[in-house]
Amino acid sequence: MCLAIPAKIISKTGDTAMVDVSGVQREANLMLCPDARVGDYIIMHAGFAIHLLDKKDAEETLQMLSDIKDLANNN
Amino acid sequence: MNLTKTVETLRVKIDKLVNKQTNLMEVCGTHTNVISASGIRRILPKKLRLLSGPGCPVCVTAQTDIDWVIKLARTNEAIITTFGDLMRVPGSESSLEKEKANGANIRVVYSPLDAVKHAQNNNKPVVFIGVGFETTIPTIAGAVIKAKEQKIKNFYVLSFFKLIPPALHKIVNSPEINVQGFILPGHVSAIIGSKPYEFLVKDYNKSCSITGFEPIDILQGIVLVLEQIKSNKPQVAIQYDRVVEIQGNLEAQNIMNQVFKNTDAEWRGLGIIKNSGLEFTKTYQDFNAKNHFAIRVSRPKETSCQCGEVLLGLIIPTECKLFAKGCYPSNPIGPCMVSSEGACAAYYKYER
Amino acid sequence: LDDNITLDYGSGGRKMHRLIGDLFLKYFYNRTLAKFEDAAELALLNKSNNDYCLTIDSYVVQPLFFPGGDIGKLSICGTVNDLAVKGAKPLYIALSFVIQEGISLKTLESLCASISKTAKSVNVPIVTGDTKVIERHSTHEEIIITTCGVGKILSNFQNPTLGANNIKVGDKILINGNIGDHEASIILARGQFDFKANIKSDCAPLYPLIEMFAEEKCQIKMMRDPTRGGLATTLNEIADAGKIGITIDENSIPMQKSVQGIAELLGFDPLYMANEGKVVIIASAKDTNRIMKIMKRYALGKGCAVIGEVTKRKYGLGVWLNTKIGSSRPVLQLEGFQIPRIC
C-alpha cells in the first residue's frame, strides 16, 4: 500500500534490513536506497525501501501522525 | 461536524479560494481512497469537484492481459503469483479469484521478492504478474536482478506496467476533459521526481501539487493547487516535500532502466497510449513470461462499461449507466468497481 | 449468487448474507431462523417466554495453533460467546470432529486439552459428540470442529429478551476492548507475508462478564460478538435489524498500534478485521457509566470504550463514521474478505 508511516531500520545484513512500522517488523530490501543505515527511517513499498528520509523529515512525519491523534482528541 | 482545528483552517482556506466551478484530478488510487475514507469529499465546497484519474494499477490493466493470465492459469503449467489487487478484476468471462476456486495454483504475495522465493522452493515455473506504476516497477526490477544474480531459471514476469506521465499527456490532450489542476501521486514522484510533470505547466497551463497520503497532506495539496489557479501562476508544487525530491530516486530509476525499456501499452478503457508501458531489455529477456508460454487470446467482448470515461475523469462513478445497476462490488463488470483503489468501489463504499 | 462458491461466501460479508438469505432460508425458513441471530431463543418450558438458547458454529481456522489460542479453545469460546451475547448461561455443549487423516495424535491431544481447559473455565460439560476421519486433501494438518451449545437465559435478560427491537435513539454503543487482534494474530501465524509483531488473539470466553452484567441488573438492550467481518459488519447487522442508524467515532475505537500497522501495511481497514473475545453492547445512555465501571474490573473488559450512539437512520444507510478529521462517511458491509493490496 502507499503507506505514509515511516519504517525504522532496526538491523541490517547485506542489502536486507529488518524494519519496524508501528511495532510490526518485516524485512525490507535496500537496493533502491543503498545509503540507508541502522536507525534511519525509510518509506517501504512491496518489501522495498523506496525512499530514505533524513532525520528532520522523519521526525516531522512522525510528529504529524501523532499530532493527528492528539489534534483530534482535543479539537 | 466539528472539524479539528488544522482541518477547519484548511477547509475555510479552500472555501475562499473556490468561487467558480473547478475540477481537480487526483491521479493516484490511494488518494481516491483516502479522500473518500476520511470524509474529505464531504467538507469541500460544492463548486470544487475531485475527479479520479487512471491511478489504480489494476483498473488500467488491459482485459486481454487478464484473459492471457487466466488462460495460463488454466493450463496449470505455472504457479501464478500476484498482488492481491488483481484477484477480483474481471477478464472477459472469469477472474483469478474464480480460477483459484476452480483449483488453479494462484498465490497472493506482498512483495515480488516473495514470488522469487516461491520460484526457489518449486521446480515448476513461477510467473509474477507485474502490475503497477513507477512506485512499484523498481521493486519488481530489483526482484528480477536478484533472481538473475541467484541464477534462478524458473522465475518469469508479465510486464503489464503503466507509466503516469504518458497517461497525463493523454488526459490533457483530450478536449472533452475539463480539469484545471492535478493532485499528483506522492510515491510515484518519490521515484521519478517532479521534472516529468513540467509539461503540464509549460504546455497546458495546469496547476499541480505532488501530494502525500494523510488527510492533511491532501487538503494542503488542494490549497496549493487552488492558490496557483487563483494567481494564474501554475507550477509543479511539492507538498509532500518530506519524501519527494526534485530529481527523485536516481538509484531506483537506474535499476528500472536496467531491466525495462519503454514501449506502447494498452490501457483498459483508454486504448493504446504511446510509450506508456515497459518491456524487458535484451539482458533480461529470459525473464519475459510471454517468451516462455505460448498463450493466444482473442479480442475481448465489448461491454457497456464506462470505466474508460471514469478513468479519464469525464464522468464520476455515479454517472456511469451501470453503477449500482448491474455493476456492484459483488458482481463487477468494470475494473474500477473491483479494486478498493478503483474510483467506483470507493464511491460505492463511501459516497452513496 | 455465482455459479460456484468462492472463499468470500464464508467471510461474514454481504455474499454470505445472500447465500443464507437466498438459498438456506428458501429451504429451512422459520421465524426463529429468519431473525439471523447468534443463538436461537427457544420456548422449551413454558410457552410464554423464551428461556433457553441453542447455537451451532464450526471452526476451520488455519493454522491450528496461533498466538493466544488454537482451534480447540476457539471452538468453545465461539459457542459460549454466541450464547452469552443472548444473555444465556451456557449449560451443555455437543462437539464434533472432522479429522483429515494423517494428523498427529500429539496435535489432537493438545487440542483436546485446550478444549477441556476452556470448557472447564466456564464449567460447561461436553455431553455428546461425533468423530469422522476424511481422506487427505491438503499438505498441512487439518481438522474441522463443530460445537453446538444450549444455554438458559438469565432472568435479568428475560422479558424482554435482548434484541434489536429494544434499541432506542440515544442509546450508547460500547465495546470491551481492542479490535482486530484475532485476525492480526492469524496473519502473523500464517507467516504468508513474513510480518513479526507481538500480537495475541483476543480469543476468550465472555460469559463471566455477561454474568456480572446480569447480577448488577444492567439496562442492556442488545449484545453481539463481532467475529468474521469485524465491528463494521456487526454494527450493520444491528442497524438493519433495529431499522435504526448508528454513528461511531474513529478516534474512540480502541485498537493496538501494531494491529493498525499490519492493517496499513496490507491495505486493510481494521473495522472489518475479525475478533474472538469482543462484545458490542447497546445500552441505555444513563446506564453506560455503570457498565463501563463493571467492565474495567475485569481483564476481559479493561480496554473498554464508548464508541458511538444510536441515531435515526440517515439516507437509508445504517452505520456512519465520524472520521479522525471530524468529517463523516458511511461504513458499508464488505462483499467478502479483505485481500492485501499495493495501491
Side-chain angles (χ1 to χ4, degrees):
Chain A
M1 251 291 276
C2 274
L3 185 63
I5 312 177
K8 184 171 187 176
I9 296 177
I10 46 180
S11 70
K12 182 181 171 188
T13 40
D15 69 356
T16 305
M18 186 56 84
V19 298
D20 180 286
V21 179
S22 314
V24 184
Q25 289 88 36
R26 199 205 188 267
E27 267 183 13
N29 188 291
L30 300 179
M31 262 171 113
L32 309 178
C33 299
D35 331 331
R37 287 190 313 285
V38 176
D40 287 344
Y41 281 90
I42 56 149
I43 295 290
M44 179 162 78
H45 180 72
F48 281 77
I50 59 165
H51 178 72
L52 171 60
L53 287 153
D54 66 33
K55 278 273 173 295
K56 190 179 67 51
D57 288 334
E59 253 85 45
E60 200 188 303
T61 306
L62 292 169
Q63 182 54 32
M64 196 181 111
L65 292 172
S66 62
D67 267 2
I68 290 176
K69 289 202 176 51
D70 336 330
L71 205 69
N73 298 340
N74 54 33
N75 61 14
Chain B
M1 202 175 307
N2 51 18
L3 300 179
T4 60
K5 277 197 291 301
T6 321
V7 172
E8 178 55 18
T9 7
L10 288 165
R11 190 193 65 76
V12 168
K13 236 186 209 175
I14 290 171
D15 229 30
K16 285 207 187 78
L17 284 163
V18 178
N19 34 46
K20 55 182 170 30
Q21 178 59 40
T22 309
N23 298 331
L24 303 185
M25 176 176 278
E26 93 266 352
V27 182
C28 161
T30 302
H31 279 151
T32 305
N33 204 301
V34 171
I35 286 166
S36 292
S38 64
I40 282 180
R41 223 181 286 277
R42 280 176 202 286
I43 64 170
L44 298 178
K46 287 279 167 292
K47 288 210 185 70
L48 175 61
R49 210 176 186 195
L50 292 184
L51 300 169
S52 310
C56 147
V58 289
C59 296
V60 295
T61 304
Q63 211 166 329
T64 41
D65 289 342
I66 293 177
D67 291 343
W68 197 96
V69 180
I70 286 171
K71 219 167 180 184
L72 174 64
R74 285 182 179 156
T75 65
N76 219 343
E77 281 172 32
I79 297 168
I80 312 280
T81 52
T82 177
F83 291 129
D85 309 52
L86 208 59
M87 285 298 281
R88 291 174 173 141
V89 177
S92 297
E93 26 79 40
S94 180
S95 70
L96 291 177
E97 181 182 54
K98 287 185 177 137
E99 294 306 315
K100 179 171 175 293
N102 297 338
N105 194 333
I106 299 172
R107 302 174 186 178
V108 171
V109 293
Y110 169 75
S111 164
L113 289 173
D114 303 340
V116 175
K117 273 197 205 112
H118 284 296
Q120 278 166 316
N121 306 336
N122 290 277
N123 26 43
K124 214 175 174 180
V126 170
V127 172
F128 178 74
I129 308 173
V131 289
F133 300 108
E134 291 89 338
T135 317
T136 313
I137 295 167
T139 72
I140 296 159
V144 168
I145 290 173
K146 275 266 173 237
K148 193 173 178 68
E149 273 165 17
Q150 292 155 9
K151 302 210 174 1
I152 295 169
K153 292 282 176 267
N154 61 329
F155 176 63
Y156 303 94
V157 171
L158 280 163
S159 166
F160 295 156
F161 306 115
K162 301 285 183 297
L163 302 176
I164 290 286
L168 292 174
H169 262 288
K170 165 105 182 177
I171 287 172
V172 281
N173 275 312
S174 315
E176 68 278 27
I177 290 180
N178 163 20
V179 165
Q180 286 78 45
F182 289 91
I183 303 290
L184 295 171
H187 288 156
V188 164
S189 314
I191 303 295
I192 65 174
S194 59
K195 286 208 197 66
Y197 305 112
E198 268 155 17
F199 74 94
L200 289 170
V201 176
K202 289 201 197 70
D203 310 340
Y204 298 92
N205 203 24
K206 300 293 180 189
S207 303
C208 302
S209 161
I210 293 173
T211 304
F213 296 97
E214 282 303 315
I216 286 175
D217 286 326
I218 292 173
L219 291 169
Q220 285 171 349
I222 293 172
V223 167
L224 287 174
V225 172
L226 293 174
E227 278 167 349
Q228 291 170 38
I229 293 174
K230 189 160 196 193
S231 60
N232 195 9
K233 291 206 190 68
Q235 52 164 303
V236 183
I238 303 181
Q239 179 278 335
Y240 197 35
D241 53 6
R242 57 183 192 277
V243 170
V244 176
E245 284 146 22
I246 293 177
Q247 78 288 1
N249 180 334
L250 300 177
E251 193 58 36
Q253 289 167 34
N254 158 23
I255 282 177
M256 207 156 78
N257 299 330
Q258 267 178 48
V259 180
F260 300 115
K261 62 180 193 285
N262 282 26
T263 180
D264 300 348
E266 186 191 350
W267 295 54
R268 188 167 190 166
L270 282 75
I272 308 263
I273 300 180
K274 280 204 73 47
N275 266 328
S276 69
L278 294 175
E279 61 184 350
F280 281 90
T281 53
K282 217 157 62 50
T283 355
Y284 291 91
Q285 267 305 333
D286 37 22
F287 288 95
N288 184 350
K290 291 236 167 146
N291 293 351
H292 192 73
F293 300 97
I295 302 277
R296 285 281 158 289
V297 278
S298 49
R299 285 307 301 165
K301 61 177 172 55
E302 286 315 316
T303 63
S304 52
C305 156
Q306 292 176 275
C307 275
E309 288 146 85
V310 171
L311 288 169
L312 284 172
L314 292 173
I315 58 171
I316 60 169
T318 39
E319 288 162 346
C320 165
K321 297 197 291 305
L322 299 175
F323 183 83
K325 307 183 204 71
C327 184
Y328 300 92
S330 65
N331 170 36
I333 295 173
C336 297
M337 183 55 91
V338 170
S339 147
S340 58
E341 289 305 309
C344 301
Y347 266 74
Y348 189 89
K349 204 168 144 185
Y350 298 130
E351 299 300 343
R352 290 192 310 146
Chain C
L1 296 175
D2 295 308
D3 303 342
N4 306 76
I5 297 299
T6 60
L7 278 176
D8 279 342
Y9 282 92
S11 69
R14 287 161 58 88
K15 275 192 173 176
M16 190 186 82
H17 283 87
R18 267 196 300 284
L19 180 63
I20 298 169
D22 299 356
L23 182 63
F24 300 157
L25 267 191
K26 193 168 94 181
Y27 287 92
F28 312 139
Y29 182 80
N30 60 63
R31 249 173 5 86
T32 309
L33 180 66
K35 278 202 221 145
F36 269 27
E37 300 230 312
D38 291 329
E41 292 168 23
L42 307 172
L44 290 187
L45 286 189
N46 48 41
K47 280 283 165 250
S48 63
N49 62 14
N50 298 335
D51 38 23
Y52 283 86
C53 263
L54 173 68
T55 188
I56 186 165
D57 227 320
S58 46
Y59 303 87
V60 294
V61 68
Q62 280 293 338
L64 302 181
F65 300 88
F66 44 86
D70 57 58
I71 190 169
K73 177 180 176 188
L74 194 59
S75 70
I76 299 300
C77 292
T79 287
V80 163
N81 293 349
D82 279 348
L83 293 171
V85 292
K86 288 297 289 177
K89 174 180 171 49
L91 297 179
Y92 307 105
I93 282 182
L95 181 144
S96 110
F97 288 115
V98 176
I99 305 167
Q100 178 185 262
E101 62 176 342
I103 199 169
S104 73
L105 198 62
K106 198 164 125 320
T107 299
L108 195 51
E109 183 154 16
S110 67
L111 289 180
C112 290
S114 171
I115 289 169
S116 151
K117 181 170 168 246
T118 313
K120 284 202 177 70
S121 75
V122 278
N123 38 58
V124 175
I126 296 168
V127 290
T128 180
D130 173 61
T131 305
K132 295 284 186 302
V133 179
I134 55 172
E135 279 187 30
R136 174 179 280 276
H137 56 269
S138 74
T139 49
H140 42 260
E141 286 188 323
E142 204 174 288
I143 190 166
I144 299 166
I145 305 178
T146 300
T147 49
C148 173
V150 172
K152 181 161 188 353
I153 298 177
L154 299 166
S155 53
N156 183 57
F157 297 122
Q158 295 225 7
N159 33 54
T161 54
L162 296 169
N165 31 39
N166 305 331
I167 299 176
K168 298 268 171 308
V169 171
D171 287 345
K172 295 291 182 190
I173 299 161
L174 293 80
I175 192 161
N176 62 318
N178 291 325
I179 62 168
D181 291 358
H182 178 70
E183 184 156 345
S185 75
I186 298 295
I187 290 169
L188 291 170
R190 280 200 188 130
Q192 188 185 358
F193 309 116
D194 302 329
F195 294 135
K196 293 183 193 52
N198 113 50
I199 300 169
K200 292 226 284 297
S201 165
D202 61 349
C203 176
L206 290 167
Y207 178 65
L209 196 58
I210 310 303
E211 191 175 46
M212 195 42 64
F213 289 153
E215 265 164 40
E216 307 247 359
K217 303 242 169 304
C218 296
Q219 302 257 317
I220 290 177
K221 307 299 191 69
M222 181 178 191
M223 291 187 278
R224 288 291 294 272
D225 57 337
T227 51
R228 275 165 312 161
L231 179 62
T233 300
T234 294
L235 291 179
N236 269 286
E237 284 165 358
I238 294 171
D240 294 346
K243 302 213 176 14
I244 38 104
I246 286 178
T247 299
I248 53 175
D249 294 322
E250 190 169 17
N251 288 318
S252 53
I253 297 167
M255 182 183 344
Q256 287 189 68
K257 225 159 71 73
S258 46
V259 169
Q260 176 104 33
I262 286 187
E264 294 246 350
L265 282 164
L266 295 174
F268 283 10
D269 180 342
L271 290 177
Y272 299 96
M273 287 171 72
N275 312 283
E276 284 297 343
K278 289 293 141 10
V279 52
V280 171
I281 301 164
I282 318 280
S284 66
K286 62 179 173 35
D287 220 10
T288 296
N289 293 344
R290 203 159 63 93
I291 295 171
M292 288 287 282
K293 277 204 196 67
I294 294 170
M295 283 203 274
K296 285 198 174 108
R297 289 191 223 133
Y298 287 84
L300 280 171
K302 67 177 179 344
C304 60
V306 180
I307 58 171
E309 62 180 12
V310 177
T311 63
K312 281 206 310 305
R313 214 160 165 89
K314 277 188 279 180
Y315 316 122
L317 292 170
V319 184
W320 288 79
L321 179 76
N322 288 338
T323 66
K324 282 187 288 194
I325 64 168
S327 176
S328 77
R329 53 102 170 159
V331 178
L332 295 183
Q333 275 191 287
L334 288 189
E335 283 307 312
F337 285 104
Q338 298 186 95
I339 300 180
R341 51 194 176 79
I342 54 157
C343 176

